[in-house]
Amino acid sequence: EAQVTQNPRYLITVTGKKLTVTCSQNMNHEYMSWYRQDPGLGLRQIYYSMNVEVTDKGDVPEGYKVSRKEKRNFPLILESPSPNQTSLYFCASSSRQGLIYEQYFGPGTRLTVT
Amino acid sequence: AQKITQTQPGMFVQEKEAVTLDCTYDTSDQSYGLFWYKQPSSGEMIFLIYQGSYDEQNATEGRYSLNFQKARKSANLVISASQLGDSAMYFCAMREVNNNDMRFGAGTRLTVKP
């Protein structure tokens, strides 16, 4: 089954404790991205990756890091989480076939930083 | 920068009636794609429909159709014969051909009343 998986699905942590949210896709997609969703703001892109070893900042990259060492994986790293990073996070992937490439979303990770 | 506006934070519709969710966008590019996603209370993002800027006909997918008015830069989603299961958040999104990010609107919460 074609899918994007994220782990963990729920996470409660404390300020300053480094964490990683994993993302993996099995569709051989080149393009992967991370979004955060906050009430009234929709989804905002954090980072994206066009292919292995190619990453770039989205709209709200501050406080986040990513890496793309393998095509299927795109982890999101919070080196020193803060309460304003409490949010719902989505990983997404798509192929690069012109404009008609819908993004496939993971199930989401709900992060709470206290 | 491209921008997506959804002016209806919440909408109500009677079961079996049609409803239109508004979306306007701002771009200076000629080539772009418009997307609608549904997010039920369970949280996942479900792709509904796509419209390309050069498509002459409005996109349709089952009970979903996209009312595309290019000159007015609007891409409204029309849901016909609403069902209780249509109650969800709906997001409009856009990607430009020369841009690597997808921008989302703030969303519209649709409630279908029995």
Side-chain angles (χ1 to χ4, degrees):
Chain A
E1 179 191 355
Q3 61 181 353
V4 179
T5 57
Q6 292 178 231
N7 282 292
R9 295 288 313 279
Y10 303 90
L11 179 60
I12 301 174
T13 190
V14 296
T15 300
K17 185 177 181 181
K18 180 180 178 179
L19 66 92
T20 299
V21 184
T22 64
C23 172
S24 182
Q25 50 94 4
N26 62 1
M27 295 167 279
N28 201 37
H29 284 164
E30 293 85 6
Y31 183 92
M32 297 185 75
S33 60
W34 276 102
Y35 296 87
R36 61 177 289 173
Q37 181 182 0
D38 302 290
L41 296 176
L43 279 76
R44 293 177 293 166
Q45 192 171 49
I46 303 170
Y47 270 95
Y48 62 91
S49 169
M50 301 297 293
N51 215 321
V52 176
E53 303 290 2
V54 181
T55 62
D56 210 342
K57 297 176 181 179
D59 284 337
V60 288
E62 295 77 21
Y64 304 95
K65 284 176 56 177
V66 293
S67 69
R68 187 93 181 272
K69 294 182 169 51
E70 304 166 282
K71 198 171 187 179
R72 62 183 294 129
N73 296 323
F74 190 43
L76 179 70
I77 304 157
L78 285 72
E79 294 270 4
S80 182
S82 62
N84 65 12
Q85 292 178 298
T86 293
S87 188
L88 177 60
Y89 291 86
F90 286 100
C91 179
S93 74
S94 65
S95 62
R96 290 283 293 179
Q97 301 286 338
L99 279 173
I100 308 177
Y101 48 97
E102 66 173 277
Q103 292 199 84
Y104 294 82
F105 283 83
T109 295
R110 189 166 293 281
L111 172 66
T112 302
V113 183
T114 61
Chain B
Q2 51 177 300
K3 183 179 175 182
I4 308 294
T5 303
Q6 295 180 252
T7 57
Q8 307 152 313
M11 287 280 287
F12 290 89
V13 64
Q14 206 68 36
E15 191 179 10
K16 298 181 185 177
E17 292 185 351
V19 63
T20 297
L21 306 184
D22 294 341
C23 173
T24 58
Y25 57 92
D26 182 27
T27 179
S28 55
D29 273 25
Q30 295 302 308
S31 185
Y32 51 88
L34 296 156
F35 304 78
W36 277 91
Y37 284 84
K38 172 184 178 181
Q39 186 180 42
S41 57
S42 51
E44 72 267 32
M45 296 289 286
I46 302 168
F47 168 74
L48 294 178
I49 197 167
Y50 165 85
Q51 177 84 43
S53 60
Y54 290 112
D55 295 341
E56 295 188 353
Q57 291 195 329
N58 288 340
T60 60
E61 289 287 347
R63 294 186 299 111
Y64 303 108
S65 61
L66 201 152
N67 184 0
F68 180 47
Q69 298 186 50
K70 192 171 181 177
R72 302 175 76 175
K73 292 186 176 177
S74 75
N76 299 338
L77 177 70
V78 180
I79 305 174
S80 63
S82 298
Q83 302 172 355
L84 295 179
D86 293 334
S87 293
M89 280 289 285
Y90 289 81
F91 292 98
C92 178
M94 179 176 72
R95 172 181 276 142
E96 297 164 332
V97 70
N98 293 319
N99 216 330
N100 293 317
D101 61 352
M102 180 178 276
R103 295 294 181 104
F104 286 79
T108 295
R109 182 170 297 281
L110 176 67
T111 303
V112 180
K113 298 189 289 185

